[in-house]
Every structure is written in C-alpha cells, then in structure tokens.
Amino acid sequence: MFYREAGQFKQSYAADQAIFPIRQDRIGLAVILLIAFVGIPLFGNEFLLASVMVPFLILALGAIGLNLLTGYAGLLSLGTAGFMGVGAYAAYKLSTIFPEVNILVWILCSGFFAAAVGAVFGLPSSRIKGFYLAVATLAAQFFLQWCFVRWSWLYNDNASGAIEVPARTLFGIAITGPSATPVTRYLVVLTIVVVMTLIASNIVHGRIGRSWMAVRDMDIAAQLMGIRLLPVKLLAFAVSSFYCGVAGALMVFLWLGAAEPAAFDINLSFVLLFMVIIGGLGSLIGSFFGAALIHILPIAIRMLPDALGLSIGAATVEHLTFMIVGALIIFFLVVEPHGLARLWQIGKQKLRVWPFPY
Amino acid sequence: MRAPGDKSGLKAGDTLLAVENVSLTFGGVKAISEVSFDIRKGEIRAIIGPNGAGKTSMLNVVNGFYHPQHGRITYKGQTRARMKPYQAASQGIARTFQNVALFRGMSTLDNIMVGRTLKMHRGLFWQMLRFGPAMAEEIEHRRVVEDIIDFLQIEAIRKVPVGKLPYGLQKRVELGRALAMEPELLLLDEPMAGMNLEEKEDMCRYILDLNNQFGTTIALIEHDMGVVMDLSDRVVVLEYGHKIADGTPDVVKADAKVIDAYLGIERGVSGPSQESEAT
C-alpha cells in the first residue's frame, strides 16, 4: 500500500536508468543513511560501534569486492583474504615509509597494490573457469600468506611478526591507533564504504558491469558482441581486488589495530565467500545482508539470553549460537538458493501488491 | 532505427564476403571440405542442408570461432588472416545462435545494450561516476536500443530477465541483440527453429524489413524450405561438408542432387551433376 510506484512516470531515459527509480526506495535509502550517519554515532554505545558496526561494514566491503568478481563476472575466487592482506601490508608499509602523508590516502592507495596482485593472479582465468579457477586462486591465497610470514621487510622486521598500526590523525582528530575513538573510526569506515558501494553500483549498471555479466552468463556470445574475454576478466579481478585490498587495510587500521599473517588465512576467504553466497550472488545489497547474517547475527544471539533475563551458561550460549546460525544458513539457502537479496526482492514485490496476492 | 554503418563503401550487389576452397577438419572428421561461395551486399543468402552438413561450422568459420585448415575468406575486399570472434564483431559481423545464447541473468534491455558495447567508449573512470559523459553515452545508446525494441515489438518485456521469457521471444531478443551491433553482415543460425507459424511469420517479416529498409546483408541457416525459398535471393546447399548446389531458389529446387539429399536417391533416375552457378 505504501510501497507502490503507481503514478510515478518516467519522463526521460535518465530517470528510468536511475539506480533507485522508485521514490519509496530513495526515501528508504535516505532514512538508512541518516540512521547510519547520525543516529548510530549519537545513540550507539562503544560496543555497538567498535565490535558490531565497524567489522560489519568492513566485511561487507570485502564481500562487495568478492561479489563483483564471483557474482557479476562469474569468476570463483578463494584468494580474497590474500588480496585483503596485500592491501593491509601495503597500507602499513606506505604509512611507515611516508608517515607525513594522510593515512586515508594510503588506505585507498593500498587498493591499487591489491588490484595489481589480483590481476596477476587472475591470469589463469583466461584458460580455466569454475571450480578449477577457485583452485588456481587458492595458490594466491597460500603464496601471499607465505609472503606475509616470510618476507620480514613487509612487517618492518618486527620481532613479533605482526604489523602494528601507527597513530595517525585527520584534521587533528586521531583516526587510527589506540587513541582513536570508536565514533571517529566508525564514521571514517562508513564514509569509505558508502562511497565505494556507490561506485561499485555505478560500475555494475554501466557498460563494464554488463560486460562482466555477459561473460558470466554466456562467454561465447559475449565474444561475438566484441567483448575481449581476458581484459574484461582481468579488470574484474583488479576492481574486485581493489575493494578487497581497501577492506583489508581498513580491517587492520580501523578495526583490529594490529594483525598477524594468520588474520588473512583461508578462513577469511571462506567466510567472505559464504557471505556472498548467502547474501546473493550478483547483488550489492546482498553483500550487506550476508555480512549482517554472518557477523551481526551471532552477536545478537549471544546477547539474547541476557536481554530476556534468562541465565544460561556462557559455553551453552556459544554452542547454541553456532547451532542457530548454522540452521538459519541452511534454512535461508533452502528457502531461496539465490540468497537473501532475492528474498528481499520477493518481499518488495509482495509489498507492492499488498493486500492482494498478485 | 538506424541503418547499419556503411563503412565499406560497397554497393548493393558487390561481393561482401567470399569463401574460397575452405576446408575444416576436427581430428579425422571432415566438417567442411573445399567449399566456396560468396555473399553479396544487400542480399539474403540461405545456407541449407541436412543435419551434420556443416552449416553451423561454416558460420563459425566466418565468425572466427573455428579456423579453417585450408582456403581463404575475403571480407570487404580484404583477405582475412586468422581472426578472433571479437575482431569479426568489430568488422560488423553479428550472429544469432541455433540454441539461444542470451545472457540469461540479465533483462531484455541489458541484453540488447550489451550489443552496443563496441560502440561505447567511456572508460572505467567515467563509469565509476556514471555521470556527465558516461550517462550521456548511456542514454544515447539506450535510445538506439529502444528503437530496436520498438522494431521488434518487445516493449512489454524490456525489464524482464530473459531467462523467464518463452522461447519465441528469446529468439527475438537475440535478434535484437545482434541488431544492436548495427551489423553489415548478419548471420542467423536457424532463426525459426521451434517456432509456431505465427512466430515464424513475425520473424520472416523482421528479416525482410531489415533487408529492405536498412539493406542489411543476411546469411541464414534454416530448415523450413518454404521460408528459405520465399525469403532468400540465393541458396547454397551443403551435404556432408561438400557444396552440392548454389543458385537462386528456383534453380536449387530443381537440382537433382538437392532432391537426392533431401528426399533420398531415386534408383536409376539420378542424373548427372548440375553444378549451376546461376544469377
């Protein structure tokens, strides 16, 4: 009843090509952004900001990166954590070599290093696809992690083998290091994630995004349209790795504060892949849904007994959390194999015709 | 709808594509042996033959998917070296497939927009902004695509994912995608396979309109002899990879070898070879 586009006529192709052509969607987005930028920083406590929202946004950014590659270009990758690590180590090296340059510049620049590495490890995609490509990208994962351990120059010969984030400021306000407040860190991460999501959305709605999807759906026909497969696939690897690299840099600089090579192990690659699959392949909003389901849901379940006044042992809660999250993942995949994003689409469609069935 | 870009400067009736003595083998299997024919600008050229005659292989050779072991192909007056499919596309050769090869996850509109890829030039930077020149380019091409949608009468399904469309409409969208490339040579691989009479008539109308109004040269493979004889200006007949006849529909229809290939040999009657190069 409220969500219905009746009467909203498009007068121009520009209006029809808009990313949110329906007015209610635009209002909804504005409300979400308002809550994210104003509501949460004002009313959220330190725990919500630092342990829920910041990791959620960073993981969502990584999931968007993987989704561009796997969901849009159809190239399965298990090297995501490796590419995130490249971003993190590049940002660390750059910020320690050139401490006078603003850290945000280096966090974004680190994406280019990840993009270059990603494009190199994307070369096998010219010959192989599907699960075989996933295995080939596994090589990237193991090789890069080996570099992070063995190549001591990368962590400035630190005896612990870890990288520690130096304290850096923006306009005199600490944004990294121990003195940075959760609110500042949250706002910095949020701004970067929102801008990069917008850019990703622009790319996938344009010529490049269509070429990616064409290669994903039918590569023979794509070639006939004049699309050269290798450059398109490498661009997908590069853009995807850029997003992963920035996510990795953000993860170390604005979330963890320090990182060992183990932070970028294959588990992280799998977690991101699950987020993309559960959220919905080929959907940007699905990346957020997937990240929310895998990161926020367990936290919420853990807090539930306290909120309800039940006294359950911490270990039991932990076990229950695993069971509930696992069951929910199976449930969602059975209900809708195309992910939460498709459920969202169906829900919106139902809302459009409500209270009628169709 | 815009007429295809006429960059070649060829007049109607000039040879657009010449295939000379082309042979293609896969291991020990001879798919095409020593086949020669030509396609003239502005004509509708049919390639017919029984199953396994090498018709689709022939299109794949013209397209650059297969590389013939022998023979040469001259396109727009230039003898072609080994080429890739995307190079064929950039020279104005478009095609549709026997089994629909649409991008199933994308809408009709996006599918046809992919056909405009070669004509769009804004790079990653502008694509990231989707603003100013990038948006202007997008809208310019949207306008062309809308003309094609209009021509094919598929307005109602422009936002529908093509995977959900019935077969006949999918074929039509595929034709639209090929048209979006503004091809000089359009290869249609069984455009009417599996269609009912009404859909066939529609498709015939689109093919004739394309040829008459925009002068698009069309090469089509088709099994419906009624359609082939009515539509085409000239027909080439293949059997087991060999060319057995070439000429106007009337000549081909009367050719003893063609009748043999299609109806079986009538004992004692099969006359001498009538290799007719008529025009």
Side-chain angles (χ1 to χ4, degrees), chain A residues 2 8 16 80 137 203-204 207 238 263 273 322:
Chain A
F2 305 106
Q8 299 180 26
D16 193 48
T80 324
T137 51
I203 293 175
V204 299
R207 170 179 65 88
L273 187 62
F322 274 117

Side-chain angles (χ1 to χ4, degrees), chain A residues 95-329:
Chain A
S95 69
T96 48
I97 295 172
F98 307 100
E100 63 279 3
V101 180
N102 192 289
I103 184 68
L104 289 183
V105 174
W106 289 140
I107 286 178
L108 292 176
C109 276
S110 65
F112 290 107
F113 289 83
V117 173
V120 169
F121 281 102
L123 282 172
S125 67
S126 69
R127 289 281 172 204
I128 49 181
K129 47 188 177 184
F131 291 116
Y132 301 95
L133 182 64
V135 175
T137 51
L138 206 55
Q141 172 64 39
F142 288 125
F143 174 74
L144 292 171
Q145 217 188 333
W146 177 84
C147 285
F148 303 150
V149 177
R150 297 288 165 196
W151 193 1
S152 59
W153 177 80
L154 279 178
Y155 45 88
N156 288 352
D157 303 308
N158 195 333
S160 66
I163 50 175
E164 279 156 25
V165 172
R168 294 284 185 268
T169 57
L170 176 70
F171 307 129
I173 304 164
I175 53 171
T176 65
S179 57
T181 61
V183 176
T184 5
R185 284 192 283 149
Y186 168 74
L187 284 175
V188 169
V189 171
L190 180 67
T191 310
I192 292 177
V193 171
V194 166
V195 170
M196 287 182 72
T197 307
L198 179 70
I199 290 174
S201 157
N202 285 344
I203 293 175
V204 299
H205 281 91
R207 170 179 65 88
I208 293 172
R210 283 194 297 267
S211 318
W212 286 346
M213 289 186 274
V215 169
R216 171 194 70 188
D217 285 346
M218 187 67 75
D219 53 358
I220 290 180
Q223 279 179 293
L224 273 179
M225 303 288 117
I227 294 171
R228 300 173 64 179
L229 294 187
L230 187 60
V232 167
K233 286 179 177 176
L234 290 188
L235 184 65
F237 262 100
V239 173
S240 153
S241 302
F242 182 92
Y243 275 76
C244 293
V246 172
L250 288 175
M251 184 171 136
V252 172
F253 278 75
L254 291 154
W255 170 16
L256 301 173
E260 292 177 350
F264 302 106
D265 66 0
I266 187 142
N267 269 342
L268 183 60
S269 291
F270 278 122
V271 166
L272 285 164
L273 187 62
F274 298 153
M275 285 176 185
V276 169
I277 292 172
I278 297 165
L281 285 162
S283 159
L284 294 179
I285 195 166
S287 309
F288 286 94
F289 288 150
L293 185 82
I294 289 194
H295 181 75
I296 298 183
L297 190 68
I299 297 176
I301 293 174
R302 263 179 229 127
M303 289 167 66
L304 204 59
D306 275 347
L308 295 175
L310 302 170
S311 55
I312 306 174
T316 322
V317 172
E318 196 64 23
H319 293 309
L320 276 176
T321 306
F322 274 117
M323 287 161 66
I324 295 171
V325 172
L328 277 177
I329 288 172

Side-chain angles (χ1 to χ4, degrees), chain B residues 125-164:
Chain B
F125 174 74
W126 285 110
Q127 297 283 334
M128 278 161 56
L129 299 180
R130 202 166 187 264
F131 178 76
M135 202 59 195
E137 186 184 54
E138 189 88 1
I139 288 164
E140 179 198 330
H141 290 283
R142 170 80 189 264
R143 210 159 266 146
V144 179
V145 167
E146 287 291 341
D147 285 344
I148 293 168
I149 289 176
D150 199 36
F151 174 73
L152 295 173
Q153 297 165 311
I154 46 177
E155 295 92 342
I157 55 163
R158 60 161 84 78
K159 299 264 170 100
V160 181
V162 290
K164 290 184 178 166

Side-chain angles (χ1 to χ4, degrees), chain B residues 110-128:
Chain B
D110 280 343
N111 264 279
I112 302 177
M113 280 296 272
V114 173
R116 304 294 301 173
T117 301
L118 272 180
K119 312 221 180 273
M120 300 177 81
H121 303 292
R122 292 289 164 193
L124 184 61
F125 174 74
W126 285 110
Q127 297 283 334
M128 278 161 56

